[in-house]
Amino acid sequence: MTSETTRAERRGAAPAAAGGRRRAREMDREAEILAAAARMFREKGYHGTSVRDIAESVGLLKGSLYHYIRSKEELLARLFEGALAETLGELERIADREGPARERLRDMVRVYVMAVTDNLDAVALYLREWRALPPPHLARVRTRRRSMRTLFERVIAEGTRARELAEVDAKIAALALLGMCNWLYEWYRPRGRLGAEELAETIAELAVRSVSR
């Protein structure tokens, strides 16, 4: 009975293992497609890039690409939403922790700058092509970005009340800081004079000084 059970378990485990490997390959392929789409959207523009262009860049036929994505609009939406979700979670954890608002703000700017430098293509796409998103996806992206701004606004307001930061309009200050970080997509070069971490430290310090007493 034991040997029969073991053989049955092995027979069941083999398809499961094969299915896991297949799914892992598909996830790798999807990541490759997303990266290629982000690069081409940035270089040629969203409207100037066809599904065929994306398929050819990853060695697929156009029809085969539809196994991984439903439409070009879905690709654009997934690029935006993927870049935003993880960053928003990190910012929430920093904003909610105890400690001086000044230090939390510095860490939030640092995290946001690192997110921008890690996702230059997605940030560029959002700022240039957000109107191309289908309404449901655009609504979700806008909600997440509004949530980010609210977190910065809240921490700045807390710093003002605690007299750690200057008496500024928290909403305008938050928008200004985020705008400064977002604009990195236009001039930051990964192989430039400053690495991403050094750049994040520098901008975080400048951001905190800009709202300090």
Side-chain angles (χ1 to χ4, degrees):
M1 184 68 176
T2 302
S3 60
E4 290 177 359
T5 301
T6 301
R7 284 195 295 272
E9 288 175 347
R10 287 175 179 169
R11 285 196 297 272
R21 289 192 295 271
R22 184 166 57 252
R23 181 56 187 153
R25 287 195 297 270
E26 288 192 351
M27 290 176 67
D28 289 343
R29 194 59 153 162
E30 288 173 7
E32 182 184 6
I33 291 167
L34 285 169
R39 183 178 64 253
M40 297 189 77
F41 287 162
R42 189 178 185 195
E43 292 173 354
K44 301 176 65 175
Y46 173 77
H47 296 289
T49 302
S50 68
V51 172
R52 185 184 300 279
D53 292 333
I54 298 167
E56 290 178 351
S57 73
V58 294
L60 290 174
L61 296 174
K62 179 180 176 181
S64 299
L65 187 67
Y66 287 115
H67 172 73
Y68 300 95
I69 58 113
R70 293 187 181 89
S71 64
K72 192 170 72 166
E73 290 81 6
E74 182 193 320
L75 272 176
L76 188 62
R78 287 175 62 182
L79 284 168
F80 290 155
E81 294 181 43
L84 286 171
E86 185 175 348
T87 304
L88 180 57
E90 288 188 70
L91 293 174
E92 286 174 340
R93 286 190 289 274
I94 296 171
D96 290 342
R97 80 186 186 199
E98 296 182 0
R102 182 186 178 95
E103 294 306 315
R104 284 182 285 145
L105 181 61
R106 179 182 284 108
D107 289 347
M108 288 170 71
V109 173
R110 187 185 297 118
V111 163
Y112 193 77
V113 170
M114 290 300 296
V116 172
T117 57
D118 285 344
N119 298 278
L120 288 173
D121 289 340
V123 173
L125 282 169
Y126 176 76
L127 296 176
R128 293 175 178 173
E129 307 285 3
W130 62 269
R131 293 176 182 83
L133 279 174
H137 292 293
L138 180 58
R140 287 199 296 272
V141 168
R142 282 179 163 172
T143 296
R144 282 178 169 165
R145 290 192 63 83
R146 193 179 304 115
S147 296
M148 284 185 180
R149 188 207 73 210
T150 299
L151 290 171
F152 277 90
E153 185 178 339
R154 191 186 90 200
V155 171
I156 292 169
E158 289 173 1
T160 297
R161 288 195 297 271
R163 301 185 65 79
E164 296 174 38
L165 302 175
E167 292 187 11
V168 296
D169 185 307
K171 181 176 180 178
I172 292 176
L175 288 169
L177 294 184
L178 289 169
M180 175 178 67
C181 296
N182 287 335
W183 194 246
L184 287 169
Y185 90 88
E186 187 66 36
W187 60 264
Y188 173 70
R189 298 294 178 269
R191 294 185 178 83
R193 183 169 58 87
L194 295 180
E197 291 187 4
E198 188 177 358
L199 179 67
E201 292 288 346
T202 300
I203 291 180
E205 182 61 29
L206 288 171
V208 171
R209 287 184 184 181
S210 72
V211 292
S212 292
R213 299 180 68 84

